[in-house]
Amino acid sequence: NKYVSADLNVGGNLVADRTSVQGWEQFKIVNNPDGSVSFLSMANKKYITADLNQGGKLVAQAKGVLGWEKFWKITNADGTVSFQAQANNMYVTADLNNGSLLIANRTAIGTWEKFVIEAVP
């Protein structure tokens, strides 16, 4: 139940540890022609990457959208959403055993792989 931040103090790593929305917690969702989505961080104007060189860690570091910056959006029965990285076909998790880092390394959707999207006025 925390907001996701592109924490520029740790290289733009995505971490779900914020209690309120400020600049680093805002993202633009981009709908790609293939039906996938990408995320543009408002913190540094870079796209979110499922960086396979870092075990699938999500990082705000890309200047454009290629394969590692695309995610399939899955709507869950409870109204939450989950994301599957095209980079490795793994689901994104907010890993509470790893400082709430967002990592695309899960094979199934559980509690930690569910997110809520909120519009920011």
Side-chain angles (χ1 to χ4, degrees):
N1 292 322
K2 302 275 183 163
Y3 292 99
V4 172
S5 175
D7 193 331
L8 299 184
N9 290 326
V10 290
N13 291 333
L14 267 63
V15 60
D17 69 350
R18 303 303 161 97
T19 58
S20 65
V21 175
Q22 304 296 322
W24 290 1
E25 295 75 36
Q26 295 183 37
F27 304 87
K28 180 179 179 182
I29 299 174
V30 177
N31 294 307
N32 298 314
D34 64 0
S36 67
V37 296
S38 295
F39 302 94
L40 180 64
S41 171
M42 297 295 96
N44 62 2
K45 304 296 189 264
K46 296 206 175 160
Y47 289 94
I48 305 307
T49 297
D51 191 338
L52 298 187
N53 294 323
Q54 297 187 59
K57 187 186 307 181
L58 271 61
V59 184
Q61 66 182 9
K63 294 180 182 177
V65 175
L66 296 173
W68 288 7
E69 293 76 37
K70 292 182 177 184
F71 301 84
W72 298 115
K73 179 181 163 191
I74 296 104
T75 302
N76 300 309
D78 62 3
T80 62
V81 294
S82 297
F83 300 98
Q84 185 179 27
Q86 282 192 8
N88 61 5
N89 290 316
M90 303 294 263
Y91 294 100
V92 174
T93 186
D95 191 335
L96 299 183
N97 292 326
N98 193 8
S100 298
L101 283 172
L102 269 66
I103 305 169
N105 69 355
R106 295 301 200 269
T107 58
I109 297 170
T111 304
W112 293 356
E113 294 75 40
K114 294 182 177 184
F115 299 88
V116 175
I117 297 173
E118 292 184 9
V120 177

